[in-house]
Amino acid sequence: MELYSLINRFLRKNIESRERNLYIRTYSVVPLNEKCGLIEWVNNMTVLRQLLTKMYQDQGKMTPLSEVKELYNSKINKVVDPSTSAVNFKKFILPKFPPMLGLWFKQTFPDPTQWYYARLAYIRTTAVMSIVGYVLGLGDRHGENLLFDSTNGDILHVDFNCLFGKGETFEYPEVVPFRLTHNLVDAMGVTGYEGDYRRCCEVTMHVLREQCDPLICVLKTLVHDPLVEWKKKGGAPDTVHDRAVNIIKSVEQRMQGKSLKTKGLPLSIEGLVQYLIQSATSLENLSRMYIGWAAYL
């Protein structure tokens, strides 16, 4: 949370991000020891999965989880070819979960002006967390870890245990840089991710690159004070130190557009954002995500 607060300060200092009112929606955390702490209770929040489940039930379009698992087992998990699994994902699974988040915004914010500003707040907070999450290697963005503020449209991320590319080491490795499923795109309006969302992503990445040195300095504390999780694994001090150094290098490369699987020169800000959006919305990538991540929502 301290790092997010620092990023918020940088976003306020930059003229373009300040004009667009870009920020990370945060909450307070007070650690008491290595295992316990206090977390702020945030009012008026609705969990994404619960929100969509209720919408599907109200519209009479709810598909039982058992049926979804059966479809995944027969049409996705047993298919070797990624392109075929993508086709099956689009043909058999997505039609059972039509986009509903846009409708939720219209019902929650019936006044046109209120809806407009709520949608704008949603797009901006989503864009900022998409880029910041990618740079920090934040994973595990399933339906329970995204919350919506029913008073202003903000999106709030919780559960930051899966950082620094940890999701790539799961049994089902996470292959998307952030969550940008069809429901999230639907709530952005007619332009989808091609409107304000893309530009806000570019502005956020510009700010992170501009402030790369102070952000890396904050992360370098991990070298001297590693995460408790790393210490518990019983690694030698040199191993823990090397892991921290590699993570800092990875974060720095992500900011500079170098940490891509494709070889070549670092990508420009526009090129990097385009690559990330394509990766996050790729049906091949979404079909390879673990069923509990719910890429169909």
Coordinates of all heavy atoms in Angstrom, one line a residue, residues 120-165:
L120 N -16.7 6.8 -16.1 CA -15.3 7.3 -16.3 C -14.4 7.0 -15.1 O -13.2 6.6 -15.3 CB -15.5 8.9 -16.4 CG -14.4 9.6 -17.2 CD1 -14.2 9.1 -18.5 CD2 -14.7 11.1 -17.2
A121 N -14.9 7.0 -13.9 CA -14.1 6.6 -12.7 C -13.7 5.2 -12.8 O -12.6 4.8 -12.4 CB -14.9 6.9 -11.4
Y122 N -14.7 4.3 -13.2 CA -14.4 2.9 -13.4 C -13.3 2.7 -14.4 O -12.3 1.9 -14.2 CB -15.6 2.2 -13.8 CG -15.4 0.9 -14.5 CD1 -14.8 -0.2 -13.9 CD2 -15.6 0.8 -15.9 CE1 -14.5 -1.4 -14.6 CE2 -15.4 -0.4 -16.6 CZ -14.8 -1.5 -15.9 OH -14.6 -2.7 -16.6
I123 N -13.4 3.3 -15.6 CA -12.4 3.2 -16.6 C -11.0 3.6 -16.1 O -10.0 2.9 -16.4 CB -12.8 4.0 -17.9 CG1 -14.0 3.4 -18.5 CG2 -11.6 4.0 -18.9 CD1 -14.6 4.2 -19.7
R124 N -11.0 4.8 -15.5 CA -9.7 5.3 -15.1 C -9.0 4.5 -14.0 O -7.8 4.2 -14.1 CB -9.9 6.8 -14.5 CG -10.2 7.7 -15.7 CD -10.7 9.1 -15.2 NE -10.8 10.1 -16.2 CZ -11.3 11.3 -16.1 NH1 -11.7 11.7 -14.9 NH2 -11.4 12.1 -17.2
T125 N -9.8 4.0 -13.0 CA -9.2 3.2 -11.9 C -8.8 1.8 -12.5 O -7.8 1.3 -12.0 CB -10.1 3.1 -10.7 OG1 -11.4 2.7 -11.2 CG2 -10.3 4.4 -10.0
T126 N -9.5 1.3 -13.4 CA -9.2 0.0 -14.0 C -7.9 0.2 -14.8 O -7.0 -0.7 -14.8 CB -10.3 -0.4 -14.9 OG1 -11.5 -0.6 -14.2 CG2 -10.0 -1.8 -15.6
A127 N -7.8 1.2 -15.6 CA -6.6 1.4 -16.4 C -5.3 1.6 -15.6 O -4.3 0.9 -15.9 CB -6.8 2.7 -17.3
V128 N -5.4 2.3 -14.5 CA -4.2 2.5 -13.7 C -3.8 1.2 -13.0 O -2.6 0.9 -13.0 CB -4.5 3.6 -12.6 CG1 -3.4 3.7 -11.6 CG2 -4.8 5.0 -13.2
M129 N -4.8 0.5 -12.5 CA -4.4 -0.8 -11.8 C -4.0 -1.8 -12.8 O -3.2 -2.7 -12.5 CB -5.6 -1.3 -11.0 CG -5.6 -0.8 -9.6 SD -4.0 -1.0 -8.7 CE -3.9 -2.8 -8.7
S130 N -4.5 -1.8 -14.1 CA -4.0 -2.7 -15.1 C -2.5 -2.5 -15.3 O -1.7 -3.5 -15.4 CB -4.8 -2.5 -16.4 OG -6.1 -2.8 -16.3
I131 N -2.1 -1.3 -15.5 CA -0.6 -1.0 -15.8 C 0.2 -1.3 -14.5 O 1.3 -1.9 -14.6 CB -0.5 0.4 -16.3 CG1 -1.2 0.6 -17.6 CG2 1.0 0.7 -16.5 CD1 -0.8 -0.4 -18.7
V132 N -0.2 -0.7 -13.4 CA 0.6 -0.9 -12.2 C 0.6 -2.4 -11.8 O 1.7 -2.9 -11.4 CB -0.1 -0.1 -11.0 CG1 0.6 -0.5 -9.7 CG2 0.0 1.4 -11.3
G133 N -0.5 -3.1 -12.0 CA -0.5 -4.6 -11.7 C 0.5 -5.3 -12.6 O 1.1 -6.3 -12.2
Y134 N 0.5 -4.9 -13.9 CA 1.4 -5.6 -14.8 C 2.8 -5.4 -14.4 O 3.7 -6.3 -14.4 CB 1.2 -5.1 -16.3 CG 2.3 -5.3 -17.2 CD1 2.6 -6.6 -17.6 CD2 3.2 -4.3 -17.6 CE1 3.7 -6.9 -18.5 CE2 4.3 -4.6 -18.4 CZ 4.5 -5.9 -18.8 OH 5.6 -6.1 -19.6
V135 N 3.2 -4.1 -14.1 CA 4.6 -3.8 -13.8 C 5.0 -4.6 -12.5 O 6.2 -5.0 -12.5 CB 4.7 -2.3 -13.6 CG1 6.1 -1.9 -12.9 CG2 4.6 -1.5 -14.9
L136 N 4.1 -4.7 -11.6 CA 4.5 -5.4 -10.3 C 4.3 -6.9 -10.4 O 4.5 -7.6 -9.4 CB 3.7 -4.8 -9.1 CG 3.9 -3.3 -8.8 CD1 3.0 -2.9 -7.7 CD2 5.4 -3.1 -8.5
G137 N 3.8 -7.4 -11.5 CA 3.6 -8.8 -11.7 C 2.4 -9.3 -10.8 O 2.5 -10.4 -10.2
L138 N 1.4 -8.5 -10.6 CA 0.2 -8.8 -9.8 C -0.7 -9.8 -10.5 O -1.1 -9.5 -11.6 CB -0.6 -7.5 -9.4 CG -1.8 -7.7 -8.6 CD1 -1.5 -8.3 -7.2 CD2 -2.6 -6.4 -8.4
G139 N -0.9 -10.9 -9.8 CA -1.8 -11.9 -10.4 C -3.0 -12.3 -9.5 O -3.3 -11.5 -8.6
D140 N -3.6 -13.4 -9.9 CA -4.8 -13.9 -9.1 C -5.9 -12.8 -9.1 O -6.6 -12.6 -8.1 CB -4.3 -14.2 -7.6 CG -5.3 -15.1 -6.9 OD1 -6.0 -15.9 -7.6 OD2 -5.4 -15.1 -5.7
R141 N -6.2 -12.2 -10.2 CA -7.3 -11.2 -10.3 C -8.6 -11.9 -10.7 O -9.2 -11.6 -11.7 CB -6.9 -10.2 -11.4 CG -5.7 -9.3 -11.1 CD -5.8 -8.6 -9.8 NE -5.3 -9.3 -8.7 CZ -5.5 -9.0 -7.4 NH1 -6.2 -7.9 -7.1 NH2 -5.0 -9.7 -6.4
H142 N -9.0 -12.8 -9.8 CA -10.3 -13.5 -10.1 C -11.4 -12.7 -9.6 O -11.2 -11.5 -9.1 CB -10.3 -14.9 -9.4 CG -10.0 -14.9 -8.0 ND1 -10.9 -14.4 -7.0 CD2 -8.9 -15.2 -7.3 CE1 -10.3 -14.5 -5.8 NE2 -9.1 -15.0 -5.9
G143 N -12.6 -13.2 -9.7 CA -13.8 -12.4 -9.4 C -14.0 -11.9 -8.0 O -14.8 -11.0 -7.8
E144 N -13.3 -12.6 -7.0 CA -13.5 -12.1 -5.7 C -12.5 -11.0 -5.3 O -12.6 -10.5 -4.2 CB -13.3 -13.3 -4.7 CG -14.5 -14.2 -4.6 CD -14.7 -15.2 -5.7 OE1 -13.6 -15.4 -6.4 OE2 -15.7 -15.8 -5.9
N145 N -11.5 -10.8 -6.1 CA -10.5 -9.8 -5.8 C -10.7 -8.5 -6.4 O -9.8 -7.6 -6.3 CB -9.1 -10.4 -6.1 CG -8.6 -11.4 -5.2 OD1 -9.1 -11.5 -4.1 ND2 -7.7 -12.2 -5.6
L146 N -11.8 -8.3 -7.1 CA -12.1 -7.0 -7.7 C -13.5 -6.6 -7.2 O -14.5 -7.3 -7.2 CB -12.3 -7.1 -9.3 CG -11.0 -6.9 -10.1 CD1 -10.0 -8.1 -9.8 CD2 -11.3 -6.8 -11.6
L147 N -13.5 -5.4 -6.6 CA -14.7 -4.8 -6.0 C -15.1 -3.5 -6.6 O -14.2 -2.8 -7.1 CB -14.5 -4.6 -4.5 CG -14.5 -5.8 -3.5 CD1 -13.3 -6.7 -3.8 CD2 -14.4 -5.3 -2.1
F148 N -16.4 -3.3 -6.7 CA -16.9 -2.0 -7.3 C -17.6 -1.2 -6.2 O -18.4 -1.7 -5.4 CB -17.9 -2.4 -8.4 CG -17.2 -2.9 -9.6 CD1 -16.9 -4.3 -9.7 CD2 -17.0 -2.1 -10.7 CE1 -16.3 -4.8 -10.8 CE2 -16.4 -2.7 -11.9 CZ -16.0 -4.0 -11.9
D149 N -17.3 0.1 -6.3 CA -17.9 1.1 -5.4 C -19.3 1.5 -6.0 O -19.3 2.1 -7.1 CB -17.0 2.3 -5.2 CG -17.5 3.2 -4.1 OD1 -18.7 3.3 -3.9 OD2 -16.7 3.8 -3.4
S150 N -20.3 1.2 -5.3 CA -21.7 1.4 -5.9 C -22.1 2.9 -5.7 O -23.2 3.3 -6.1 CB -22.7 0.6 -5.1 OG -22.7 0.8 -3.7
T151 N -21.2 3.8 -5.2 CA -21.5 5.2 -5.1 C -20.8 6.0 -6.1 O -21.3 7.1 -6.5 CB -21.1 5.7 -3.7 OG1 -19.7 5.6 -3.5 CG2 -21.8 4.9 -2.6
N152 N -19.7 5.6 -6.7 CA -19.0 6.4 -7.7 C -18.4 5.6 -8.8 O -17.8 6.2 -9.7 CB -17.9 7.2 -7.0 CG -16.8 6.4 -6.4 OD1 -16.8 5.2 -6.5 ND2 -15.9 7.0 -5.6
G153 N -18.5 4.2 -8.8 CA -18.0 3.4 -9.9 C -16.5 3.0 -9.8 O -16.0 2.3 -10.7
D154 N -15.8 3.4 -8.8 CA -14.4 3.0 -8.6 C -14.3 1.5 -8.6 O -15.1 0.8 -8.1 CB -13.8 3.6 -7.4 CG -13.4 5.1 -7.5 OD1 -13.5 5.6 -8.6 OD2 -13.0 5.7 -6.5
I155 N -13.1 1.0 -9.0 CA -12.8 -0.4 -8.9 C -11.7 -0.5 -7.8 O -10.7 0.3 -7.8 CB -12.4 -1.0 -10.2 CG1 -12.3 -2.6 -10.1 CG2 -11.0 -0.5 -10.7 CD1 -12.2 -3.3 -11.4
L156 N -11.8 -1.4 -6.9 CA -10.9 -1.6 -5.8 C -10.3 -3.0 -5.9 O -11.1 -4.0 -5.9 CB -11.6 -1.4 -4.5 CG -10.7 -1.6 -3.2 CD1 -9.6 -0.6 -3.1 CD2 -11.6 -1.6 -2.0
H157 N -9.0 -3.1 -5.9 CA -8.4 -4.5 -5.9 C -8.0 -4.8 -4.5 O -7.5 -4.0 -3.7 CB -7.1 -4.4 -6.8 CG -7.4 -4.4 -8.3 ND1 -7.1 -5.5 -9.1 CD2 -8.0 -3.5 -9.1 CE1 -7.4 -5.2 -10.3 NE2 -8.0 -4.0 -10.3
V158 N -8.1 -6.1 -4.2 CA -7.7 -6.6 -2.9 C -6.9 -7.9 -3.1 O -6.8 -8.4 -4.2 CB -9.0 -6.9 -2.0 CG1 -9.8 -5.7 -1.7 CG2 -9.9 -8.0 -2.6
D159 N -6.3 -8.3 -2.0 CA -5.5 -9.5 -2.0 C -4.3 -9.4 -2.9 O -4.3 -9.8 -4.0 CB -6.3 -10.8 -2.4 CG -5.5 -12.1 -2.2 OD1 -4.4 -12.0 -1.7 OD2 -6.1 -13.1 -2.4
F160 N -3.2 -8.9 -2.3 CA -2.0 -8.6 -3.1 C -0.9 -9.7 -2.7 O 0.3 -9.3 -2.8 CB -1.5 -7.2 -2.9 CG -2.5 -6.2 -3.2 CD1 -3.1 -5.4 -2.3 CD2 -2.8 -6.0 -4.5 CE1 -4.0 -4.4 -2.6 CE2 -3.7 -5.0 -4.9 CZ -4.3 -4.2 -3.9
N161 N -1.3 -10.9 -2.4 CA -0.4 -11.9 -2.1 C 0.4 -12.5 -3.3 O 1.5 -13.0 -3.2 CB -1.1 -13.1 -1.3 CG -0.1 -14.2 -0.9 OD1 0.9 -13.9 -0.3 ND2 -0.5 -15.4 -1.3
C162 N -0.3 -12.3 -4.4 CA 0.3 -12.9 -5.7 C 1.0 -11.8 -6.5 O 0.5 -11.3 -7.5 CB -0.8 -13.5 -6.5 SG -0.3 -14.5 -7.9
L163 N 2.2 -11.5 -6.0 CA 3.0 -10.4 -6.6 C 4.3 -10.9 -7.3 O 4.6 -12.1 -7.1 CB 3.4 -9.4 -5.6 CG 2.4 -8.3 -5.2 CD1 2.9 -7.5 -4.0 CD2 2.1 -7.3 -6.4
F164 N 4.9 -10.1 -8.1 CA 6.2 -10.3 -8.8 C 6.2 -11.6 -9.6 O 7.1 -12.4 -9.6 CB 7.2 -10.4 -7.7 CG 7.3 -9.2 -6.8 CD1 7.2 -9.3 -5.4 CD2 7.3 -7.9 -7.3 CE1 7.3 -8.2 -4.6 CE2 7.3 -6.8 -6.5 CZ 7.3 -7.0 -5.1
G165 N 5.1 -11.8 -10.4 CA 5.0 -12.9 -11.3 C 4.8 -14.3 -10.7 O 5.0 -15.3 -11.3

